Amino acid sequence: QVQVVESGGGLVQAGGSLRLSCAASGSILSINDMGWYRQAPGKQRELVATITSGGSTNYADSVKGRFTISRDNAKNTVYLQMNSLKPEDTAVYYCNARLRRSPGFRTYDYWGQGTQVTVSS
């Protein structure tokens, strides 16, 4: 069994900051990529940021320069520091972990339950 649990969402005014955390636990051999995605009402889920086990990052254009993704491999945890938040950042934020449960090349995608981020104008 693998669990992926997010925390840190909430309500913040435009221009404010929030930090999201996500921890993966359970039967994990290793974690490849970890990332954050978001889904606003009536819209499709979209990529926010990803980070490899080696620390390489990728960001959506809409968050570049405002959001920073980082991870602690020893704790199987990924973070998303969100600064200069805008009302259009309002969404449910989901954590993803692509991991191996046993030796070999097969990987599995696990998702957290989501955490609400609301930015008021």
Side-chain angles (χ1 to χ4, degrees):
Q1 295 287 351
V2 174
Q3 296 81 40
V4 176
V5 180
E6 303 107 334
S7 61
L11 173 64
V12 64
Q13 288 188 332
S17 299
L18 282 175
R19 188 188 193 215
L20 305 183
S21 300
C22 169
S25 62
S27 300
I28 298 171
L29 181 64
S30 63
I31 301 179
N32 293 2
D33 297 352
M34 298 187 81
W36 291 95
Y37 295 73
R38 66 187 182 187
Q39 187 167 18
K43 295 187 177 181
Q44 290 189 335
R45 189 174 297 188
E46 63 177 5
L47 178 147
V48 176
T50 61
I51 185 168
T52 68
S53 57
S56 296
T57 59
N58 180 50
Y59 294 93
D61 288 343
S62 59
V63 306
K64 283 181 180 176
R66 300 188 297 122
F67 291 10
T68 303
I69 189 170
S70 61
R71 66 189 278 177
D72 184 333
N73 291 332
K75 295 181 179 180
N76 289 342
T77 298
V78 63
Y79 306 96
L80 186 68
Q81 178 66 44
M82 304 184 293
N83 299 328
S84 302
L85 282 160
K86 304 175 180 179
E88 51 262 44
D89 294 318
T90 295
V92 177
Y93 284 69
Y94 296 91
C95 175
N96 170 266
R98 179 162 293 173
L99 55 88
R100 288 187 174 87
R101 298 186 312 200
S102 59
F105 292 104
R106 185 172 181 179
T107 59
Y108 298 83
D109 276 319
Y110 285 88
W111 293 87
Q113 79 286 354
T115 185
Q116 177 70 46
V117 171
T118 303
V119 184
S120 63
S121 57

